[in-house]
């Protein structure tokens, strides 16, 4: 079976985009594992499947391990870039995801980069929204012990789950090992994304990302939003926040009670045919 595909990236967080029916979850999960395999497939952090019905764009997003993600800020920005190339006169792109409608506004083109501002909705600090097995209306600086080490975690949902930790430096501990342990911690029945945040000043933070179903990633739109929102909620940052991912800087704009916005670029990498044996 030949599948037409394009690969896009947002600061090194790469996605394969295919126009494909969205109903077959098991088939799409298998396809994601095949396409995203970096040795036997095209290689990517995730797969974005989309279709267009009467002008509306719907999408489903799968991680490289085949699990489904409710939303990806970088993933929908890559899809908006793809759509902008097909519909150059359009300035606003409405994309329906498993986490609801996301509206992206085209800002500018700086070849090969296309810049967008995305409305990612309202951050939800209730543990039940992730979900997380923690009582209460919020979990800020919630104590947890891993390998005998006491940590403080901060939880927020952007339609997908996030666990944020503040650190003084990224080499403070083996953050990737901790990220892996936190991703699958019993507190999180659907697993979680994990962000390690170093506050530089009130308008700049650095982050390292352990992404659910993927592992270490170079950047993430929702992880940047979660990190900025928690930093603002904790009183350590003020909007707008420049979020320094490993491969570039995303701008997050949020005031408590309002929707959160993220700005950043995306760029095409490759397009062609993928030969897939569904068996």
């Amino acid at each position: 079976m030949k599948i037409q595909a394009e690969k896009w990236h947002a600061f090194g967080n790469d996605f394969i985009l295919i126009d494909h029916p969205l109903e077959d979850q098991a088939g799409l999960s298998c396809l994601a594992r095949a396409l995203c395999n970096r040795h036997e497939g095209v290689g990517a952090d995730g797969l974005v499947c989309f279709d267009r019905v009467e002008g509306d764009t719907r999408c489903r997003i799968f991680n490289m391990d085949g699990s489904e993600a409710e939303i990806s800020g970088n993933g929908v920005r890559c899809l908006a870039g793809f759509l902008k190339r097909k519909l150059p006169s359009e300035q606003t792109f409405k994309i329906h995801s498993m986490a609801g409608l996301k509206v992206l506004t085209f800002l500018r083109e700086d070849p090969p980069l296309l810049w967008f501002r995305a409305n990612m909705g309202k951050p939800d600090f209730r543990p039940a929204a992730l979900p997380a097995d923690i009582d209460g209306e919020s979990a800020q600086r919630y104590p947890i012990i891993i390998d005998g080490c006491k940590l403080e975690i901060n939880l927020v949902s952007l339609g997908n789950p996030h666990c944020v930790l503040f650190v003084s430096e990224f080499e403070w501990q083996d953050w990737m090992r901790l990220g892996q342990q936190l991703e699958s911690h019993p507190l999180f029945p659907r697993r979680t994304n994990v962000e390690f945040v170093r506050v530089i000043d009130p308008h700049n933070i650095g982050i390292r990302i352990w992404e659910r179903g993927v592992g270490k990633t170079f950047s993430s739109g929702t992880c940047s939003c979660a990190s900025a929102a928690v930093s603002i909620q904790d009183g350590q940052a003020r909007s707008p926040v420049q979020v320094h991912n490993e491969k570039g800087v995303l701008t997050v704009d949020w005031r408590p009670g309002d929707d959160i916005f993220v700005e950043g670029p995306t760029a095409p990498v490759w397009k062609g045919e993928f030969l897939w044996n569904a068996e």
Side-chain angles (χ1 to χ4, degrees), residues 14-66:
D14 52 350
F15 295 88
I16 298 164
L17 311 178
I18 61 171
D19 186 345
H20 195 79
L22 303 183
E23 287 71 28
D24 181 13
Q25 178 169 347
L28 292 176
S29 178
C30 292
L31 181 57
R33 290 195 298 271
L35 274 165
C36 294
N37 188 303
R38 295 197 181 274
H39 301 287
E40 299 175 0
V42 176
D45 291 326
L47 171 67
V48 179
C49 305
F50 69 93
D51 64 12
R52 286 179 59 80
V53 178
E54 296 180 354
D56 283 345
T57 301
R58 305 183 305 162
C59 77
R60 296 180 71 175
I61 301 167
F62 292 83
N63 299 313
M64 67 187 306
D65 70 350

Side-chain angles (χ1 to χ4, degrees), residues 1-3 20 24 26-28 30-31 33-34 274-279:
M1 179 179 180
K2 293 182 179 179
I3 295 176
H20 195 79
D24 181 13
L28 292 176
C30 292
L31 181 57
R33 290 195 298 271
F274 179 69
L275 306 178
W276 185 47
N277 182 356
E279 299 178 1

